[in-house]
Amino acid sequence: MATTPLPVNPDGTALKGIRGQVLTFKADPFLNNEKECYDYYPDGLIVMQDGHIINVGDYTAVAKLYPQLKDIDTYTDAVIMPGFIDCHVHYVQSPMIGSFGDTLLQWLNEYTFPTEAKFKDKAFADEVARMFFRQLLEQGTTTANVFATTFATSVDAFFEESERYNTRMISGKVLQDRNLPDSLKDESAEESILLTEKLLKKWHHRGRQLYAIIPRFAPTSTPEQLQLAGELYQRYIDQGVYMHTHLDEVQSEIDWVTQLFPDQPNYTEVYKHFGLVGRRSVMAHCCIVREEEWQELHRCECGVAHCPSSNLFLGDGEFKYWEAKNPTRPVRVGMGTDVGGGTNFSIPRQLNEAYKVAMLQMKNLTAIKSFYLATRGGAEALHLENTIGSIAPGYEADIAVVDLKPSEFAAWRMKFSDDLFEKLFVVMTLGLNNVNLATYVAGKKVYDRSRTPSHLYASEIPDTKISEK
Ligand code: GUN
Ligand code: ZN
């Protein structure tokens, strides 16, 4: 990770600073001594320009390098962190979050599919995208790896809203041509791939947007669709296109896959067979994974999204980080809300559930490991660890500000803990409401809890050039 400050660009935007306790991760605490995996500045200063971080360090040392820096937001009783990263979420399920779920397959049929069918209507998709982004930014999430649904309207609505905030987002059309209602089904495998390529060409690398090829999961695609999706992925893999799907979530799903693809030795091999496993493949859940599958996920540098809130809600399986992070073949892991299977949009609240999932299996999860998963771990899972997920020179300036005193009780409780990570453990474990004070996206404060209006699009926050100051 770069530590050398970037030079000030004399033709760029005016410098902006954020001052307070700063915490950022630089290595994986599952594989290294925890204490060596982060940088912490009790009174830190982040200097930003043109949407990037140009310097970070102790306030007194850094401030004197920038006499022209006047615009500084200062936070006390808060921890300034990289924006949270949600590695797996369905924005199209926002309208049915909290729907009764008996089993995954019942819940999909009864609530999910009928809701997703409504996204043919662009106005409906626009309304949901708007609300979804407001929720994410309120929770301090600045990047997400997102399922849209079958229709181009659902993809356009999502990326259009992302462009308004200038967020770095990954999304795409969902491929699904069997075992679901006609109202949601692709017309044909060929047509679905042509539409995918058209959307990919429209959105991939447009501003900060990135495209993912998304077969929903093996049971809802014909072998023909999986084959064409794999060929498309292989054609675009070197241009940074993603493959995003579900894998090994619950035993009934795995049994179904075994029945549908009897020639493949395991679920991962089904995707592999069709060319869908590679760098920038992101697999959601991975609760019930065989050793051979972990080895393949490691070998192919795949990312895995741990979605504990959803796994508990749907009674799936229990993720095993100690399997994923086996030091002989570690896998990249980040957190996912999996809304609407997940029951809230908050990454810190996922950490609370992740801790309990580990405890049920006689393990634990420290605050250091947890907040790494929420930030840099997520960036690694998405192969964006040189771009987002850390606060260091050259990184995109996506930042969350975690309030340590969001309520009277929280303020009182914090009096009894001195250590930063003890405090952060309280934040995640109590699932504190309203815990994010402000969210910066590419250096602009697009969310501020105490501002009216709380959310602003990037274009509503003027850019001032240094030369105009
Ligand atoms: N498997 C296939 N589709 C879905 C979905 O929408 N949510 C979850 N949790 N699992 C899935
Ligand atoms: Zn999902």
Side-chain angles (χ1 to χ4, degrees):
M1 184 182 301
T3 47
T4 323
L6 295 190
V8 174
N9 172 10
D11 303 319
T13 58
L15 301 188
K16 172 142 187 90
I18 310 178
R19 179 179 181 182
Q21 293 185 70
V22 176
L23 173 68
T24 180
F25 291 88
K26 54 189 178 187
D28 184 340
F30 291 92
L31 304 174
N32 300 281
N33 180 344
E34 281 198 342
K35 296 262 182 280
E36 287 162 17
C37 291
Y38 63 87
D39 285 325
Y40 171 59
Y41 307 101
D43 180 14
L45 177 65
I46 302 167
V47 185
M48 308 181 292
Q49 187 186 35
D50 296 335
H52 288 77
I53 293 160
I54 63 167
N55 204 350
V56 60
D58 289 318
Y59 175 80
T60 37
V62 174
K64 66 173 181 247
L65 302 174
Y66 303 94
Q68 71 275 51
L69 173 59
K70 302 283 184 261
D71 181 7
I72 302 179
D73 296 342
T74 300
Y75 296 97
T76 49
D77 299 322
V79 185
I80 301 158
M81 283 190 220
F84 298 122
I85 298 176
D86 187 339
C87 292
H88 177 69
V89 57
H90 304 248
Y91 98 86
V92 292
Q93 294 176 13
S94 306
M96 46 72 68
I97 184 174
S99 294
F100 180 74
D102 180 21
T103 64
L104 168 65
L105 301 178
Q106 163 271 328
W107 175 86
L108 286 173
N109 281 311
E110 198 165 328
Y111 296 106
T112 314
F113 294 154
T115 300
E116 292 192 20
K118 295 185 190 170
F119 283 75
K120 212 170 190 162
D121 173 4
K122 178 68 166 38
F124 182 75
D126 286 340
E127 181 196 332
V128 178
R130 180 176 173 277
M131 182 52 72
F132 176 80
F133 272 89
R134 289 177 69 84
Q135 295 312 300
L136 251 58
L137 295 169
E138 194 167 315
Q139 303 299 338
T141 299
T142 49
T143 288
N145 187 30
V146 181
F147 267 54
T149 187
T150 315
F151 318 108
T153 39
S154 70
V155 178
D156 287 338
F158 178 84
F159 280 131
E160 284 163 13
E161 190 68 358
S162 182
E163 277 198 330
R164 292 185 192 107
Y165 285 110
N166 194 24
T167 34
R168 185 168 280 293
M169 290 283 160
I170 307 167
S171 190
K173 174 195 148 35
V174 174
L175 294 161
Q176 37 195 1
D177 68 344
R178 68 165 164 172
N179 291 324
L180 76 170
D182 285 347
S183 53
L184 197 57
K185 215 183 268 175
D186 285 310
E187 275 166 30
S188 71
E190 292 85 359
E191 170 275 337
S192 70
I193 299 300
L194 287 174
L195 181 54
T196 299
E197 189 166 12
K198 192 167 150 207
L199 289 164
L200 184 160
K201 286 184 174 161
K202 177 172 179 185
W203 288 110
H204 189 57
H205 287 313
R206 176 161 143 180
R208 300 184 78 197
Q209 313 314 316
L210 297 168
Y211 199 85
I213 295 164
I214 311 181
R216 180 179 207 110
F217 67 158
T220 45
S221 285
T222 55
E224 187 190 4
Q225 189 177 50
L226 293 173
Q227 178 70 32
L228 293 173
E231 287 168 12
L232 187 67
Y233 177 47
Q234 295 302 329
R235 260 194 284 138
Y236 283 95
I237 202 165
D238 291 336
Q239 294 178 39
V241 165
Y242 289 82
M243 197 291 298
H244 184 190
T245 192
H246 296 90
L247 174 67
D248 288 331
E249 178 175 0
V250 59
Q251 192 58 48
S252 54
E253 167 211 19
I254 299 171
D255 294 343
W256 194 14
V257 171
T258 309
Q259 224 178 58
L260 291 170
F261 301 93
D263 296 340
Q264 299 308 323
N266 59 55
Y267 197 164
T268 303
E269 283 295 320
V270 173
Y271 292 132
K272 177 88 190 307
H273 174 77
F274 293 109
L276 289 162
V277 179
R279 223 172 130 78
R280 294 192 193 80
S281 301
V282 183
M283 310 294 192
H285 302 298
C286 293
C287 296
I288 308 166
V289 184
R290 297 193 195 166
E291 175 55 30
E292 317 85 84
E293 297 185 87
W294 284 125
Q295 286 174 15
E296 195 60 25
L297 296 174
H298 164 78
R299 206 180 61 73
C300 294
E301 298 182 85
C302 299
V304 166
H306 175 21
C307 309
S309 152
S310 173
N311 295 157
L312 292 170
F313 179 70
L314 292 170
D316 295 335
E318 292 162 345
F319 183 77
K320 294 158 184 59
Y321 71 76
W322 49 97
E323 289 186 3
K325 291 295 185 183
N326 179 333
T328 64
R329 44 134 195 82
V331 171
R332 296 162 179 254
V333 179
M335 300 305 299
T337 60
D338 193 28
V339 163
T343 50
N344 63 75
F345 292 89
S346 158
I347 291 293
R349 288 174 71 183
Q350 304 307 307
L351 302 176
N352 167 27
E353 310 281 25
Y355 174 81
K356 291 172 189 165
V357 166
M359 288 294 276
L360 279 172
Q361 301 172 90
M362 317 297 278
K363 303 276 180 183
N364 61 42
L365 196 61
T366 62
I368 293 180
K369 290 190 174 76
S370 299
F371 281 90
Y372 156 81
L373 286 174
T375 58
R376 188 173 171 84
E380 287 174 355
L382 303 176
H383 282 267
L384 290 173
E385 69 271 21
N386 296 319
T387 309
I388 57 166
S390 293
I391 299 176
Y395 278 74
E396 294 175 348
D398 295 343
I399 286 164
V401 184
V402 173
D403 190 357
L404 294 174
K405 298 184 173 174
S407 67
E408 181 191 10
F409 177 75
W412 180 79
R413 167 64 184 85
M414 290 302 175
K415 287 200 303 188
F416 304 103
S417 296
D418 294 328
D419 178 76
L420 169 72
F421 288 107
E422 282 183 10
K423 290 181 181 179
L424 287 175
F425 192 77
V426 173
V427 167
M428 66 184 241
T429 298
L430 299 196
L432 293 173
N433 230 348
N434 220 3
V435 79
N436 182 52
L437 267 166
T439 308
Y440 295 80
V441 167
K444 290 188 174 183
K445 189 160 44 165
V446 296
Y447 172 75
D448 182 339
R449 200 174 69 188
S450 54
R451 180 178 65 196
T452 310
S454 52
H455 296 70
L456 288 175
Y457 289 133
S459 63
E460 296 174 306
I461 306 169
D463 269 328
T464 320
K465 294 279 177 195
I466 282 196
S467 50
E468 295 161 14
K469 273 246 144 178

